Amino acid sequence: MAFNPFQDHNRYLDKDPKDMTLSELRMLLKIKRMDLQLGWNELEGKIKFWQRVGRSLRESGLIDKAKEGLQSYLQKDQPKE
């Protein structure tokens, strides 16, 4: 019988760790580690995605054009002496 973390983890969530056997505690720890790893992988994926977006914008020159446009807009708003 193989452990399926997407289905079998429900067996361990409702049980108090004090009442678990050593093998159940090990399985619970394994489940928690897998959940943590999945969460970390998801976070890394999101960070890498936004890094690629930023790099693409920088390489295309859109950020420089936006800065220039914002600077020219702010200079127009300043009173002339």
Side-chain angles (χ1 to χ4, degrees):
M1 181 173 130
F3 173 73
N4 183 346
F6 298 109
Q7 295 173 352
D8 296 340
H9 71 284
N10 292 328
R11 289 190 296 182
Y12 300 100
L13 295 178
D14 297 333
K15 200 171 186 181
D16 187 13
K18 294 176 189 173
D19 300 330
M20 291 183 180
T21 64
L22 187 57
S23 63
E24 288 175 326
L25 285 171
R26 285 184 181 141
M27 192 58 66
L28 181 63
L29 182 60
K30 186 174 184 177
I31 292 166
K32 296 292 183 183
R33 285 181 182 158
M34 290 172 77
D35 284 343
L36 184 61
Q37 186 64 46
L38 286 172
W40 181 253
N41 290 347
E42 183 180 349
L43 177 64
E44 276 186 323
K46 288 179 181 181
I47 290 171
K48 288 178 183 179
F49 170 78
W50 287 110
Q51 286 176 340
R52 285 191 297 257
V53 169
R55 189 178 321 118
S56 297
L57 289 173
R58 207 173 30 253
E59 289 174 357
S60 70
L62 286 174
I63 292 178
D64 294 332
K65 289 180 183 179
K67 283 181 184 178
E68 291 171 7
L70 183 61
Q71 287 175 351
S72 67
Y73 175 76
L74 292 175
Q75 288 175 355
K76 289 179 185 177
D77 288 344
Q78 292 177 350
K80 294 181 182 178
E81 295 180 13

